[in-house]
Amino acid sequence: MTTWVDACATDDVDEEDVIRFDHDGRTFAIYRSPDDQYFATDGLCTHERVHLADGLVMDDVIECPKHNGRFNYKTGQGRGAPICVDLKTYPVRVEGGRVLIDLG
Ligand code: FES
C-alpha cells in the first residue's frame, strides 16, 4: 500500500540541506542532495532520538548534531559508532514543485 503525503515545497529545502517534517505524530527529515534530488528518512537519530534536521548534510551523509553519528540519508545505512541501528528511509517523488513522501 502506498500513502503519498505532501511534505513541503521543493524550494523549502536548500541544496545539500535538510528540514524537519511532522505528520500524524511522527517526525521525518527531508533532504535535498547536492545534485538536486530529494530523499526522506525518519526524523530522529536511532542512537538517542535527536532531531536529524538539526544536523549537517555533507554529500550523501547526515551527521547527527548530538554525537556526530553519521547515516547515508539515501540508504539509511549507519556509518559506524555510535550508530548501531540504520535509519528508515521512505520513497520520494517530486510533483508540481512539491515533495511527496510515501509513508506506506
Ligand atoms: S543521538 Fe545521534 S549520534 Fe547520538
Side-chain angles (χ1 to χ4, degrees), residues 29-61:
I30 312 294
Y31 308 83
R32 183 172 171 182
S33 65
D35 60 350
D36 217 19
Q37 296 183 67
Y38 293 83
F39 298 88
T41 69
D42 273 338
L44 300 176
C45 181
T46 59
H47 182 227
E48 285 188 4
R49 305 189 60 74
V50 165
H51 285 283
L52 291 171
D54 296 332
L56 194 62
V57 174
M58 296 162 292
D59 294 325
D60 57 359
V61 167

Side-chain angles (χ1 to χ4, degrees), residues 13-34:
V13 195
D14 290 335
E15 209 172 286
E16 204 167 14
D17 204 358
V18 56
I19 65 167
R20 174 177 166 178
F21 169 60
D22 293 331
H23 177 77
D24 218 7
R26 295 163 68 190
T27 297
F28 304 90
I30 312 294
Y31 308 83
R32 183 172 171 182
S33 65

